[in-house]
Amino acid sequence: MLWIKSLHIIFMVTWFAGLFYLPRLFVYHAMAEDAAGRARFKVMERKLYWGIMAPGAVLAMAFGIWLWLGYGVTGAWLHAKLALVALLVAYHLYCGKLLADFAHDRNTRSHVWYRWFNEVPTVLLFAVVILTVVKPF
C-alpha cells in the first residue's frame, strides 16, 4: 500500500501544480492586449488543463479511493477531507468553464478577480493536509 500512497501523493501534487498555475495563466491572459499573446495563452491553458490537471485529478482520486478501500479508514476527519476534495473538484471544473470562456473570447472578469481566485486552492491544500496528517477529529 505504500506504493499506492506514494502514487496518490505524486498525482495530488501534479493536480495541485495545475490548480495553482492555471488561474495564474488566467491572470496574465486577462491582461493580454495582443492577439498573439491571447492565442498563446489559449494553447498553454488547454494543454495544462487536459494534459496535466485532468489526469492528475483522476489519478489522485483513483489512488485515494484505492487507499480508502485498502485501509478501510474512517472518521470525521476523512469526511471533512472528502468534502474539501469535492470543493477542489468543483473548483477544477469551474476552471474548465473559465478555460472555455477564454477559448471563445468570452471572459468578463478582470485580472484582479483571477488573482483572488488563484488563492482558493492554497487554502484548501492547507486544510486537506492538516486534516490528513493531524486527524483532529
Side-chain angles (χ1 to χ4, degrees):
M1 287 307 263
L2 291 178
W3 282 100
I4 304 307
K5 187 182 287 187
S6 297
L7 290 169
H8 175 64
I9 293 168
I10 289 166
F11 289 113
M12 185 271 310
V13 170
T14 302
W15 184 25
F16 267 92
L19 289 173
F20 291 146
Y21 190 48
L22 184 63
R24 180 55 50 184
L25 287 176
F26 291 160
V27 169
Y28 300 134
H29 193 160
M31 294 171 58
E33 297 178 2
D34 62 306
R38 287 190 299 271
R40 187 176 317 112
F41 282 117
K42 288 177 186 180
V43 171
M44 292 169 65
E45 291 158 357
R46 179 179 44 82
K47 287 184 176 185
L48 177 62
Y49 189 84
W50 293 109
I52 296 173
M53 285 175 66
V58 168
L59 291 168
M61 286 185 278
F63 286 113
I65 291 167
W66 192 342
L67 284 169
W68 175 59
L69 294 172
Y71 285 121
V73 179
T74 60
W77 71 270
L78 182 61
H79 293 103
K81 177 186 174 182
L82 293 176
L84 294 176
V85 170
L87 287 175
L88 285 166
V89 170
Y91 182 89
H92 177 106
L93 294 173
Y94 189 64
C95 282
K97 184 236 181 269
L98 295 172
L99 175 83
D101 288 346
F102 273 113
H104 295 99
D105 299 317
R106 294 186 311 237
N107 175 51
T108 59
R109 305 207 185 263
S110 73
H111 67 94
V112 175
W113 187 87
Y114 288 109
R115 288 180 194 278
W116 284 104
F117 180 73
N118 190 43
E119 301 306 321
V120 172
T122 304
V123 173
L124 293 174
L125 176 65
F126 269 80
V128 167
V129 170
I130 290 168
L131 283 170
T132 304
V133 174
V134 178
K135 297 177 180 62
F137 44 85

Coordinates of all heavy atoms in Angstrom, one line a residue, residues 3-46:
W3 N 3.2 2.0 -2.0 CA 3.3 2.4 -3.4 C 2.1 3.1 -3.9 O 2.1 4.2 -4.6 CB 3.5 1.2 -4.4 CG 4.9 0.7 -4.4 CD1 5.4 -0.4 -3.7 CD2 6.0 1.2 -5.0 NE1 6.7 -0.5 -3.9 CE2 7.2 0.5 -4.7 CE3 6.2 2.3 -5.9 CZ2 8.4 0.7 -5.2 CZ3 7.4 2.6 -6.4 CH2 8.5 1.8 -6.0
I4 N 0.9 2.7 -3.4 CA -0.3 3.3 -3.8 C -0.4 4.7 -3.1 O -0.8 5.7 -3.7 CB -1.5 2.5 -3.3 CG1 -1.5 1.1 -3.9 CG2 -2.9 3.2 -3.6 CD1 -1.3 1.0 -5.4
K5 N 0.0 4.8 -1.8 CA 0.1 6.1 -1.2 C 1.0 7.0 -1.9 O 0.7 8.2 -2.0 CB 0.5 5.9 0.3 CG 0.4 7.1 1.1 CD 0.9 6.9 2.6 CE -0.1 6.1 3.4 NZ 0.2 6.1 4.8
S6 N 2.2 6.5 -2.3 CA 3.1 7.3 -3.0 C 2.6 7.9 -4.3 O 2.7 9.1 -4.6 CB 4.4 6.6 -3.3 OG 5.1 6.2 -2.1
L7 N 1.9 7.0 -5.0 CA 1.3 7.5 -6.3 C 0.1 8.5 -6.0 O 0.0 9.4 -6.8 CB 0.8 6.2 -7.1 CG 1.9 5.4 -7.7 CD1 1.3 4.1 -8.2 CD2 2.7 6.1 -8.7
H8 N -0.6 8.2 -5.0 CA -1.7 9.2 -4.6 C -1.1 10.6 -4.4 O -1.6 11.6 -4.9 CB -2.4 8.7 -3.4 CG -3.4 9.7 -2.9 ND1 -4.5 10.1 -3.6 CD2 -3.5 10.3 -1.7 CE1 -5.2 10.9 -2.8 NE2 -4.6 11.1 -1.7
I9 N 0.0 10.6 -3.6 CA 0.7 11.9 -3.3 C 1.3 12.5 -4.6 O 1.1 13.7 -4.8 CB 1.8 11.7 -2.2 CG1 1.1 11.4 -0.9 CG2 2.6 13.0 -2.1 CD1 2.0 10.9 0.2
I10 N 1.9 11.7 -5.4 CA 2.5 12.3 -6.7 C 1.4 12.9 -7.5 O 1.6 14.0 -8.1 CB 3.3 11.1 -7.4 CG1 4.5 10.8 -6.6 CG2 3.6 11.5 -8.8 CD1 5.2 9.5 -7.1
F11 N 0.3 12.2 -7.7 CA -0.7 12.7 -8.6 C -1.5 13.9 -8.0 O -2.0 14.8 -8.7 CB -1.6 11.6 -9.1 CG -0.9 10.7 -10.1 CD1 -0.7 9.4 -9.8 CD2 -0.5 11.3 -11.3 CE1 0.0 8.6 -10.7 CE2 0.1 10.5 -12.2 CZ 0.4 9.1 -11.9
M12 N -1.5 13.9 -6.6 CA -2.1 15.0 -5.9 C -1.3 16.3 -6.2 O -1.8 17.4 -6.5 CB -2.3 14.7 -4.4 CG -3.0 15.8 -3.6 SD -1.9 17.1 -2.9 CE -0.6 16.3 -2.1
V13 N 0.1 16.1 -6.1 CA 1.0 17.2 -6.3 C 0.8 17.7 -7.8 O 0.8 18.9 -8.1 CB 2.4 16.8 -6.0 CG1 3.4 17.9 -6.5 CG2 2.6 16.6 -4.5
T14 N 0.7 16.7 -8.7 CA 0.6 17.1 -10.1 C -0.7 17.9 -10.3 O -0.7 18.9 -11.0 CB 0.5 15.8 -11.0 OG1 1.7 15.0 -10.8 CG2 0.3 16.1 -12.4
W15 N -1.8 17.4 -9.7 CA -3.1 18.1 -9.8 C -3.0 19.5 -9.3 O -3.4 20.5 -9.9 CB -4.2 17.3 -9.1 CG -5.6 17.8 -9.2 CD1 -6.1 18.6 -10.2 CD2 -6.6 17.6 -8.3 NE1 -7.4 18.9 -10.0 CE2 -7.8 18.3 -8.8 CE3 -6.7 16.9 -7.2 CZ2 -9.0 18.2 -8.2 CZ3 -7.9 16.8 -6.5 CH2 -9.1 17.5 -7.0
F16 N -2.4 19.7 -8.1 CA -2.3 21.0 -7.5 C -1.4 21.9 -8.2 O -1.6 23.1 -8.2 CB -1.8 20.9 -6.0 CG -3.0 20.8 -5.1 CD1 -3.6 19.6 -4.7 CD2 -3.6 22.0 -4.6 CE1 -4.6 19.6 -3.8 CE2 -4.6 22.0 -3.7 CZ -5.2 20.8 -3.3
A17 N -0.3 21.4 -8.9 CA 0.5 22.2 -9.7 C -0.4 22.9 -10.8 O -0.2 24.1 -11.0 CB 1.6 21.4 -10.4
G18 N -1.3 22.2 -11.4 CA -2.2 22.8 -12.3 C -3.2 23.7 -11.7 O -3.5 24.8 -12.2
L19 N -3.7 23.4 -10.5 CA -4.7 24.2 -9.8 C -4.0 25.5 -9.4 O -4.7 26.6 -9.3 CB -5.2 23.5 -8.6 CG -6.2 22.3 -8.9 CD1 -6.5 21.6 -7.5 CD2 -7.4 22.8 -9.6
F20 N -2.7 25.5 -9.1 CA -2.0 26.8 -8.8 C -1.7 27.6 -10.1 O -1.8 28.8 -10.1 CB -0.7 26.5 -8.1 CG -0.9 25.9 -6.7 CD1 0.0 25.0 -6.2 CD2 -2.0 26.3 -5.9 CE1 -0.2 24.5 -4.9 CE2 -2.1 25.8 -4.6 CZ -1.2 24.9 -4.1
Y21 N -1.3 26.9 -11.1 CA -0.8 27.6 -12.3 C -1.9 28.1 -13.3 O -1.7 29.2 -13.8 CB 0.2 26.7 -13.0 CG 1.0 27.4 -14.1 CD1 1.6 28.7 -13.8 CD2 1.2 26.9 -15.3 CE1 2.3 29.3 -14.8 CE2 1.9 27.5 -16.3 CZ 2.5 28.7 -16.1 OH 3.2 29.4 -17.0
L22 N -2.9 27.3 -13.5 CA -3.9 27.7 -14.5 C -4.6 29.1 -14.1 O -4.6 29.9 -15.0 CB -5.0 26.6 -14.6 CG -6.0 26.9 -15.7 CD1 -5.4 27.0 -17.1 CD2 -7.1 25.8 -15.7
P23 N -5.0 29.3 -12.9 CA -5.6 30.6 -12.6 C -4.5 31.7 -12.7 O -4.9 32.9 -13.1 CB -6.0 30.5 -11.1 CG -6.3 29.0 -11.0 CD -5.2 28.4 -11.8
R24 N -3.2 31.4 -12.5 CA -2.2 32.4 -12.8 C -2.1 32.7 -14.3 O -2.0 33.9 -14.6 CB -0.9 31.9 -12.2 CG 0.3 32.8 -12.4 CD 0.1 34.2 -11.9 NE -0.3 34.3 -10.5 CZ -0.6 35.4 -9.8 NH1 -0.5 36.6 -10.4 NH2 -1.0 35.4 -8.6
L25 N -2.3 31.7 -15.1 CA -2.3 32.0 -16.5 C -3.5 32.8 -16.9 O -3.4 33.7 -17.7 CB -2.4 30.7 -17.3 CG -1.1 29.9 -17.4 CD1 -1.3 28.5 -18.1 CD2 0.0 30.6 -18.0
F26 N -4.6 32.6 -16.2 CA -5.8 33.4 -16.4 C -5.6 34.9 -16.1 O -6.1 35.8 -16.8 CB -7.0 32.9 -15.6 CG -7.6 31.6 -16.0 CD1 -8.3 30.8 -15.1 CD2 -7.4 31.0 -17.3 CE1 -8.9 29.6 -15.5 CE2 -7.9 29.8 -17.7 CZ -8.7 29.1 -16.8
V27 N -4.8 35.1 -15.0 CA -4.4 36.5 -14.7 C -3.7 37.2 -15.9 O -4.1 38.3 -16.3 CB -3.5 36.5 -13.4 CG1 -2.9 37.9 -13.2 CG2 -4.2 36.1 -12.2
Y28 N -2.7 36.5 -16.4 CA -1.9 37.1 -17.5 C -2.8 37.2 -18.8 O -2.6 38.1 -19.5 CB -0.7 36.3 -17.7 CG 0.2 36.3 -16.5 CD1 0.8 35.1 -16.1 CD2 0.5 37.4 -15.7 CE1 1.6 35.0 -14.9 CE2 1.3 37.4 -14.6 CZ 1.8 36.2 -14.2 OH 2.6 36.2 -13.1
H29 N -3.6 36.1 -19.0 CA -4.5 36.1 -20.2 C -5.4 37.3 -20.1 O -5.7 38.0 -21.1 CB -5.2 34.8 -20.3 CG -5.9 34.6 -21.6 ND1 -6.2 33.3 -22.0 CD2 -6.3 35.4 -22.6 CE1 -6.8 33.4 -23.2 NE2 -6.8 34.6 -23.6
A30 N -6.0 37.6 -19.0 CA -6.9 38.7 -18.8 C -6.2 40.0 -19.0 O -6.9 41.0 -19.4 CB -7.6 38.7 -17.4
M31 N -4.9 40.1 -18.8 CA -4.2 41.3 -19.0 C -3.7 41.5 -20.4 O -3.3 42.6 -20.8 CB -3.0 41.4 -18.0 CG -3.4 41.5 -16.6 SD -2.0 41.3 -15.4 CE -0.9 42.6 -15.9
A32 N -3.6 40.4 -21.2 CA -3.1 40.4 -22.6 C -3.9 41.3 -23.5 O -5.1 41.3 -23.5 CB -3.0 39.0 -23.1
E33 N -3.1 42.1 -24.2 CA -3.8 43.0 -25.1 C -3.6 42.7 -26.6 O -4.2 43.3 -27.5 CB -3.3 44.4 -24.8 CG -3.6 44.9 -23.4 CD -3.1 46.2 -23.1 OE1 -2.4 46.9 -23.9 OE2 -3.3 46.7 -21.9
D34 N -2.6 41.8 -26.9 CA -2.4 41.5 -28.3 C -2.9 40.1 -28.7 O -3.0 39.2 -27.8 CB -0.9 41.5 -28.6 CG -0.1 40.5 -27.8 OD1 -0.2 40.5 -26.5 OD2 0.7 39.7 -28.4
A35 N -3.3 39.9 -29.9 CA -4.0 38.7 -30.4 C -3.0 37.5 -30.3 O -3.4 36.4 -29.9 CB -4.4 38.8 -31.8
A36 N -1.7 37.7 -30.6 CA -0.7 36.6 -30.5 C -0.6 36.1 -29.0 O -0.5 34.9 -28.8 CB 0.6 37.1 -31.1
G37 N -0.5 37.1 -28.1 CA -0.4 36.7 -26.7 C -1.6 35.9 -26.2 O -1.5 34.9 -25.5
R38 N -2.8 36.4 -26.6 CA -4.1 35.7 -26.2 C -4.1 34.3 -26.8 O -4.5 33.3 -26.1 CB -5.3 36.5 -26.6 CG -5.5 37.7 -25.7 CD -6.8 38.4 -25.9 NE -7.0 38.9 -27.3 CZ -6.6 40.1 -27.7 NH1 -6.1 40.9 -26.9 NH2 -6.8 40.4 -29.0
A39 N -3.7 34.2 -28.0 CA -3.7 32.8 -28.7 C -2.7 31.9 -28.0 O -3.0 30.7 -27.8 CB -3.3 33.0 -30.2
R40 N -1.5 32.4 -27.6 CA -0.5 31.6 -26.9 C -1.1 31.1 -25.5 O -0.9 30.0 -25.1 CB 0.7 32.5 -26.7 CG 1.9 31.7 -26.1 CD 3.2 32.5 -26.0 NE 3.4 33.3 -27.2 CZ 3.4 34.7 -27.2 NH1 3.1 35.3 -26.1 NH2 3.7 35.3 -28.3
F41 N -1.8 32.0 -24.8 CA -2.4 31.7 -23.5 C -3.4 30.6 -23.7 O -3.5 29.7 -22.9 CB -2.9 32.9 -22.8 CG -1.9 33.7 -22.1 CD1 -1.7 35.0 -22.5 CD2 -1.1 33.2 -21.1 CE1 -0.7 35.8 -21.9 CE2 -0.1 33.9 -20.5 CZ 0.1 35.2 -20.9
K42 N -4.2 30.7 -24.7 CA -5.2 29.6 -25.0 C -4.6 28.3 -25.1 O -5.1 27.3 -24.6 CB -6.0 30.0 -26.3 CG -7.0 31.2 -26.1 CD -7.7 31.5 -27.4 CE -8.5 32.8 -27.3 NZ -9.2 33.1 -28.5
V43 N -3.5 28.2 -25.9 CA -2.8 26.9 -26.0 C -2.3 26.4 -24.7 O -2.4 25.2 -24.4 CB -1.7 27.0 -27.1 CG1 -0.9 25.8 -27.2 CG2 -2.3 27.3 -28.5
M44 N -1.6 27.3 -24.0 CA -1.0 26.9 -22.7 C -2.1 26.4 -21.7 O -1.9 25.4 -21.0 CB -0.2 28.1 -22.1 CG 1.0 28.5 -22.9 SD 1.7 30.0 -22.4 CE 2.2 29.7 -20.7
E45 N -3.2 27.1 -21.7 CA -4.2 26.8 -20.7 C -4.9 25.4 -21.1 O -5.1 24.6 -20.2 CB -5.3 27.9 -20.7 CG -4.8 29.2 -20.1 CD -5.6 30.4 -20.5 OE1 -6.5 30.3 -21.4 OE2 -5.3 31.5 -20.0
R46 N -5.1 25.2 -22.4 CA -5.7 24.0 -22.8 C -4.8 22.8 -22.5 O -5.3 21.8 -22.0 CB -6.0 24.0 -24.3 CG -6.7 22.8 -24.8 CD -7.0 22.9 -26.3 NE -6.0 23.5 -27.1 CZ -4.9 22.9 -27.6 NH1 -4.7 21.6 -27.3 NH2 -4.0 23.5 -28.3

